[in-house]
Amino acid sequence: MPRVDADIKLDFKDVLLRPKRSSLKSRAEVDLVRTFTFRNSKQTYTGIPIIAANMDTVGTFEMAKVLSKHTLFTAIHKHYTLEDWKQFASSSPECLEHVAVSSGSGQADLERLCSILEGIPLIKYICLDVANGYSEHFVEFVKTVHAKFPNHTIMAGNVVTGEMVEELILSGADIIKVGIGPGSVCTTRIKTGVGYPQLSAVIECADSAHGLKGHIISDGGCSCPGDVAKAFGAGADFVMLGGMLAGHDQCAGDITEKNGKKVMLFYGMSSDTAMKKHSGKVAEYRASEGRTVEVPYKGDVEDTIRDVLGGVRSTCTYVGAAKLKELSRRTTFIRVTQQFNQMFT
Amino acid sequence: MPRIDNDIKLDFKDVLLRPKRSTLKSRSEVELTRSFTFRNSGQSYQGIPIIAANMDTVGTFEMARALCKFSLFTAVHKHYTVDEWKDFAASSPDCLENVAVSSGTGQSDFQHLEEVLSAIPQLRYICLDVANGYSEQFVQHVKDVRARFPKHTIMAGNVVTGEMVEELILSGADIIKVGIGPGSVCTTRKKTGVGYPQLSAVIECADAAHGLNGHIISDGGCSCPGDVAKAFGAGADFVMLGGMLSGHTECGGETIEKNGKKYKLFYGMSSETAMKKHAGGVAEYRASEGKTVEVPFQGDVEHTVKDILGGIRSTCTYVGAGKLKELSRRTTFIRVTQQLNPMFSN
């Protein structure tokens, strides 16, 4: 008989952070830079732990060039060729410590990954991304990649529960991507019924990862800077953004005009649009699990970044955290039924 | 004094399935076909256990022809004449094992059922459908139909609680239709205040039915492929769809055009539209318990079927079920407050 877990699991929209007494005088005092040493690769990271998602619209080289200036990170999407990578590496060598090469778990993916990492030894991060991180096949793949690249830091996912976070860390991954279905253009929950509310997933998975000295990325579900702050407050070491970074100059795709307004295309990586673009079509036995939307064109991503970082700094001053590192320790979430006053919306 | 049941009963939207470890490599490995042997008829069934509802818009012969290609099932609505059935049987004999003849509990319904079944002996399924499966008269009707057709597999409903599932099974039904009020064009909950959240109804009724080697259909409440997966996860042996299959080429009714867009009419079988069409009007003592909506025209149902089956295959890989049969055993539901990120929805 199926089991129903009686606890209600929470999303970002279900909570707010409770303010706490603080000795900080200004948001300017808040330090958002974090330093991590990774469990399996033994490498060290320093930067502001926000990551552009490895989607072909958002995880671009252009995005990486701007984000790395602010010490933010980019998981570069897996559809660039080795030649593209070589050009990027020679034109922007300073960006290389803030990017990851992405890969799926197919044989062709692995060969591509190897050729890029061998071609550009300065790259230190690998992002192994599959829709369903629960398959034994994926666990084996993580082991294989860790054995081949023992000194590279491996991000792997996606999963949403503690036992699978532990399994992937013990298989050689350093940073586990957490999130199934929360993304703004993801329809996995509608198409399959599977998923996990993101705030609860992050709280539970961070706890599991930190117990093994591993790390996690909260991937998906952030629709405003407050959600990014909540993800960090919940224990995420990194926060990955797709929709919030969509629609900028640094994104791939054309800017079109519609009813006098500029828009850009944004879509999930299992949507019809993405599957048609990269594999010709949606396979017979599959349903598309993503949406395609037109997002308003927002100009340069620098402005959005300042807005996000300013928001997170303000969160830190409200709860009395002088460093991002302290945010989750200073976090008390209260449950709410609405986020903001709807009067003028 | 009225009693309040304090447990919260759940709908599909209140839960998600928790992913679990899996040895499956690809969605293409998942087997959605099931085999059942029915308790009272002794007959067996094999196919993908999704059923088009016996509504006059959806449970059509055209739908049956399209669905039987995928080994899906159609509960054909009760408004076809014996001659129409004969034509269908002659032109599509291959579909007959994937359809049921529907009937109500009236005397003329019973006669019609007898005529169709004696004209087409290859038909093996009967769907006895009333709005309220709790009446003694319905129990007696199930017994009468069972006595008259001992070898036919009988679907009967609708009910939403374990004790009535057991009663109907013990009265001769094989597969119990579960659902009161969850349908997209059903207004029973509004008009009467009666109903039961569908996920909890399915969990409880499946448990009751399986204890007697009976089966159930989750009837109503599915608005997306994920809901179909949740119904199976909750223990439904079959899932019946109305609204999700509406608006297609194979549906009954005209395609209408409005502001350059195409629509088809879809309505509950107790709506004013249906009652006017089939009974000449809404009887004085009744309220209409269904609504009429215009649904966007969706083309051939084949695309929708592939989308649903693809979704369920993906569900199975997420929870590590190599077969649909294993899905409910591998299911843990978590309670949630929202299904989907609303960032880009209007």
Side-chain angles (χ1 to χ4, degrees):
Chain A
M1 195 168 139
R3 213 166 71 84
V4 181
D5 225 335
D7 279 9
I8 291 199
K9 302 295 180 182
L10 303 171
D11 265 304
F12 295 133
K13 69 154 184 54
D14 298 319
V15 300
L16 287 170
L17 287 119
R18 182 187 188 283
K20 287 186 183 167
R21 298 186 64 158
S22 158
S23 55
L24 292 166
K25 289 200 187 103
S26 153
R27 287 157 238 230
E29 290 173 27
V30 175
D31 183 5
L32 296 182
V33 172
R34 292 211 56 181
T35 298
F36 301 118
T37 298
F38 298 111
R39 179 188 198 273
N40 294 316
S41 71
K42 313 291 183 217
Q43 301 289 322
T44 303
Y45 160 93
T46 301
I48 297 178
I50 293 176
I51 308 178
N54 51 313
M55 304 170 81
D56 65 4
T57 42
V58 166
T60 61
F61 289 139
E62 294 72 24
M63 186 66 76
K65 285 176 195 163
V66 176
L67 295 195
S68 72
K69 276 194 256 167
H70 297 266
T71 76
L72 270 60
F73 199 92
T74 305
I76 302 287
H77 69 71
K78 68 175 186 179
H79 301 289
Y80 284 118
T81 63
L82 175 59
E83 283 314 303
D84 297 331
W85 267 101
K86 281 184 174 160
Q87 272 179 19
F88 172 68
S90 65
S91 70
S92 311
E94 74 286 358
C95 291
L96 293 178
E97 62 172 318
H98 295 294
V99 301
V101 188
S102 301
S103 171
S105 60
Q107 192 54 38
D109 286 323
L110 181 60
E111 282 163 21
R112 223 189 107 270
L113 176 68
C114 292
S115 72
I116 292 168
L117 292 178
E118 281 153 19
I120 309 165
L122 290 173
I123 298 175
K124 294 161 57 191
Y125 296 89
I126 300 168
C127 176
L128 300 179
D129 185 23
V130 295
N132 174 8
Y134 285 76
S135 80
E136 286 305 304
H137 174 67
F138 184 61
V139 174
E140 285 309 313
F141 189 74
V142 170
K143 287 181 188 165
T144 305
V145 174
H146 180 57
K148 265 189 191 305
F149 302 104
N151 300 317
H152 282 70
T153 299
I154 298 176
M155 307 168 168
N158 281 21
V159 301
V160 286
T161 50
E163 88 287 359
M164 206 62 209
V165 167
E166 290 163 4
E167 175 73 18
L168 290 175
I169 289 173
L170 297 174
S171 301
D174 295 291
I175 315 173
I176 309 304
K177 274 178 80 190
V178 172
I180 292 185
S184 56
V185 286
C186 182
T187 57
T188 291
R189 293 178 185 180
I190 289 300
K191 290 299 172 75
T192 71
V194 175
Y196 214 93
Q198 187 67 2
L199 184 88
S200 293
V202 169
I203 291 174
E204 296 168 23
C205 290
D207 193 47
S208 294
H210 297 163
L212 292 172
K213 305 212 175 318
H215 294 87
I216 70 157
I217 302 170
S218 172
D219 177 17
C222 290
S223 58
C224 56
D227 290 346
V228 180
K230 288 174 189 174
F232 283 125
D237 303 292
F238 296 84
V239 177
M240 184 173 264
L241 304 178
M244 284 178 68
L245 299 180
H248 294 94
D249 289 331
Q250 289 77 10
C251 297
D254 297 326
I255 301 169
T256 53
E257 224 170 282
K258 219 176 168 180
N259 305 327
K261 283 180 183 156
K262 290 182 175 172
V263 294
M264 286 185 86
L265 227 52
F266 179 56
Y267 45 84
M269 294 309 292
S270 295
S271 64
D272 264 24
T273 308
M275 287 201 267
K276 278 184 187 147
K277 194 165 172 187
H278 301 297
S279 39
K281 63 168 187 154
V282 180
E284 278 289 307
Y285 59 89
R286 293 181 65 142
S288 131
E289 289 181 24
R291 296 197 294 150
T292 302
V293 296
E294 284 169 341
V295 299
Y297 168 67
K298 296 184 218 153
D300 197 322
V301 78
E302 295 237 18
D303 303 322
T304 300
I305 292 168
R306 280 199 197 96
D307 194 49
V308 173
L309 301 186
V312 178
R313 278 195 196 96
S314 182
T315 312
C316 288
T317 58
Y318 269 117
V319 302
K323 298 176 179 173
L324 181 57
K325 184 180 178 173
E326 295 163 13
L327 178 55
S328 82
R329 256 178 284 155
R330 306 273 308 173
T331 292
T332 300
F333 287 119
I334 51 171
R335 288 183 56 189
V336 302
T337 57
Q338 75 174 18
Q339 288 290 310
F340 60 92
N341 184 327
Q342 310 282 332
M343 186 167 176
F344 294 122
T345 48
Chain B
M1 201 169 120
R3 205 171 73 86
I4 294 183
D5 215 335
N6 265 319
D7 274 12
I8 292 198
K9 301 296 179 183
L10 302 169
D11 266 307
F12 296 132
K13 68 158 182 49
D14 297 319
V15 300
L16 287 169
L17 287 119
R18 182 187 191 286
K20 289 186 182 165
R21 297 186 64 161
S22 158
T23 53
L24 295 165
K25 283 197 190 114
S26 156
R27 282 155 243 230
S28 61
E29 291 172 25
V30 175
E31 174 65 76
L32 296 181
T33 299
R34 292 212 57 180
S35 299
F36 300 119
T37 299
F38 298 113
R39 179 187 197 274
N40 294 316
S41 71
Q43 301 289 321
S44 38
Y45 160 91
Q46 198 169 24
I48 296 179
I50 293 177
I51 308 178
N54 51 313
M55 304 169 81
D56 64 4
T57 43
V58 166
T60 61
F61 288 140
E62 294 74 19
M63 185 66 76
R65 286 192 193 105
L67 295 191
C68 79
K69 279 188 242 162
F70 293 90
S71 84
L72 269 60
F73 199 93
T74 303
V76 174
H77 69 71
K78 67 177 185 178
H79 302 290
Y80 284 117
T81 63
V82 180
D83 285 336
E84 287 170 320
W85 268 105
K86 283 182 183 161
D87 286 349
F88 172 69
S91 67
S92 309
D94 46 313
C95 290
L96 294 179
E97 61 174 319
N98 287 309
V99 302
V101 188
S102 301
S103 177
T105 53
Q107 194 49 45
S108 60
D109 284 324
F110 193 71
Q111 267 172 19
H112 181 73
L113 179 66
E114 279 188 313
E115 283 168 24
V116 174
L117 291 179
S118 55
I120 309 163
Q122 301 96 303
L123 289 170
R124 296 162 56 202
Y125 296 88
I126 299 168
C127 177
L128 298 177
D129 185 24
V130 294
N132 174 10
Y134 284 77
S135 81
E136 282 307 304
Q137 191 216 345
F138 184 61
V139 174
Q140 189 53 50
H141 187 73
V142 171
K143 287 181 185 163
D144 294 344
V145 175
R146 170 51 69 212
R148 174 73 184 76
F149 301 106
K151 300 278 178 210
H152 282 71
T153 298
I154 299 176
M155 308 169 168
N158 281 19
V159 301
V160 286
T161 49
E163 88 286 0
M164 205 62 206
V165 166
E166 289 163 353
E167 175 74 16
L168 290 175
I169 290 173
L170 297 173
S171 302
D174 296 290
I175 315 173
I176 309 304
K177 274 178 79 191
V178 172
I180 292 186
S184 56
V185 287
C186 182
T187 56
T188 293
R189 292 181 184 176
K190 263 200 161 143
K191 291 295 174 73
T192 70
V194 175
Y196 213 93
Q198 187 67 1
L199 184 89
S200 293
V202 169
I203 291 174
E204 297 168 23
C205 291
D207 194 44
H210 297 163
L212 292 172
N213 294 322
H215 294 86
I216 69 158
I217 301 170
S218 172
D219 176 17
C222 290
S223 59
C224 58
D227 291 346
V228 182
K230 289 173 189 174
F232 283 125
D237 303 293
F238 296 85
V239 177
M240 184 173 263
L241 304 178
M244 283 179 69
L245 298 180
S246 70
H248 292 93
T249 316
E250 293 80 358
C251 295
E254 298 304 309
T255 306
I256 36 185
E257 219 168 296
K258 224 174 165 177
N259 304 326
K261 283 181 183 156
K262 290 181 175 171
Y263 297 89
K264 283 192 111 165
L265 227 51
F266 179 56
Y267 44 85
M269 292 311 291
S270 295
S271 66
E272 225 180 305
T273 309
M275 288 199 270
K276 277 189 181 145
K277 193 165 172 188
H278 301 297
V282 180
E284 277 297 311
Y285 59 90
R286 295 181 63 145
S288 126
E289 289 182 23
K291 56 183 166 180
T292 302
V293 295
E294 285 165 353
V295 298
F297 178 64
Q298 321 224 23
D300 292 351
V301 77
E302 184 181 322
H303 305 293
T304 299
V305 169
K306 281 184 191 157
D307 194 52
I308 295 170
L309 301 186
I312 301 170
R313 280 195 193 95
S314 183
T315 311
C316 288
T317 58
Y318 271 116
V319 302
K323 299 175 179 175
L324 181 57
K325 184 181 178 172
E326 296 162 13
L327 180 54
S328 81
R329 255 179 282 154
R330 304 274 307 170
T331 291
T332 299
F333 289 116
I334 52 168
R335 289 180 55 193
V336 305
T337 60
Q338 75 174 12
Q339 287 292 312
L340 203 61
N341 181 333
M343 184 169 176
F344 294 126
S345 23
N346 307 314

